[in-house]
Amino acid sequence: MIIAVTGTPGVGKTTVSKLLSERLGYEYVSVKDFALERGIGERVGDELEIDVDELADAMAGEFKGRDVVIDGHLSHFVPADVVVVLRAHPRLIAERLEKRGYPRKKLAENVEAELVDVILVEALEENENVLEVDTTGKTPEQVVEEIIGLIEKGITRRVGVVDWSGVYDDVLPYLDLGG
């Protein structure tokens, strides 16, 4: 089974993916590491710009028939049996990205992306089986238990779990509203 774990930077993808792969006995794969090893994409400043079609083709060929957890904010573009979209309160994302030293503009872009469900919408456009999981206030272990529980119950689609529309005022200081 291929499980793709995706979400806005700062939601806990890597921590959850590594724990999930360990618990299930699956191989762990980082999208970024895979792309770098295979020469997919190109460096633009500090960023790695990845061609998602090339990534999807390469990963589909490499991991077909294997048990793997694919970690990365582009993993929802890779053919997977189930895509797990991790979500977190936008203020929490802002705080985590600040600690990582993200530039103000990049931080604002990611807070806005979480606020308006960008990754979830992309995941739903690309995949049938999408599980949305709110990580806010949960330990990584609790998130992994929730994911495993959903998969074991045969739930293949669970969305609409998160609605950040009520927290706009809370995250206003982190947004780049121009002007």
Side-chain angles (χ1 to χ4, degrees):
M1 172 184 272
I2 297 174
I3 302 171
V5 179
T6 189
T8 307
V11 296
K13 291 180 301 296
T14 299
T15 302
V16 167
S17 294
K18 287 180 176 178
L19 270 173
L20 182 62
S21 66
E22 188 178 296
R23 279 284 312 280
L24 295 173
Y26 285 19
E27 182 179 350
Y28 166 83
V29 177
S30 157
V31 165
K32 185 177 180 180
D33 292 347
F34 181 88
L36 284 169
E37 289 166 9
R38 304 291 187 299
I40 299 169
E42 63 181 76
R43 285 232 176 252
V44 178
D46 291 343
E47 301 283 319
L48 177 65
E49 293 200 0
I50 297 173
D51 178 318
V52 292
D53 292 330
E54 187 179 353
L55 175 72
D57 289 346
M59 285 192 140
E62 180 82 18
F63 300 115
K64 185 176 175 74
R66 289 167 53 187
D67 292 330
V68 63
V69 174
I70 300 173
D71 162 30
H73 77 277
L74 297 176
S75 67
H76 55 280
F77 290 108
V78 175
D81 297 297
V82 65
V83 175
V84 178
V85 180
L86 298 182
R87 307 294 305 275
H89 192 290
R91 185 182 62 245
L92 180 60
I93 287 174
E95 292 166 356
R96 288 175 176 171
L97 298 183
E98 266 183 339
K99 284 181 185 169
R100 293 182 189 176
Y102 270 53
R104 174 91 178 131
K105 182 178 166 80
K106 196 75 175 158
L107 184 148
E109 286 173 8
N110 285 297
V111 169
E112 182 179 354
E114 179 64 19
L115 190 63
V116 299
D117 307 334
V118 169
I119 301 287
L120 178 64
V121 169
E122 289 177 355
L124 289 167
E125 288 172 350
E126 297 288 326
N127 303 277
E128 277 297 310
N129 300 332
V130 177
L131 302 173
E132 182 183 25
V133 177
D134 185 2
T135 65
T136 309
K138 297 174 187 168
T139 66
E141 292 79 9
Q142 289 170 321
V143 173
V144 167
E145 286 302 318
E146 185 174 339
I147 294 166
I148 291 172
L150 292 167
I151 291 170
E152 286 177 347
K153 289 177 187 160
I155 297 170
T156 57
R157 192 168 182 97
R158 185 182 81 161
V159 296
V161 173
V162 171
D163 177 4
W164 300 130
S165 61
V167 304
Y168 179 79
D169 290 342
D170 227 13
V171 297
L172 202 51
Y174 300 106
L175 298 176
D176 183 8
L177 301 175

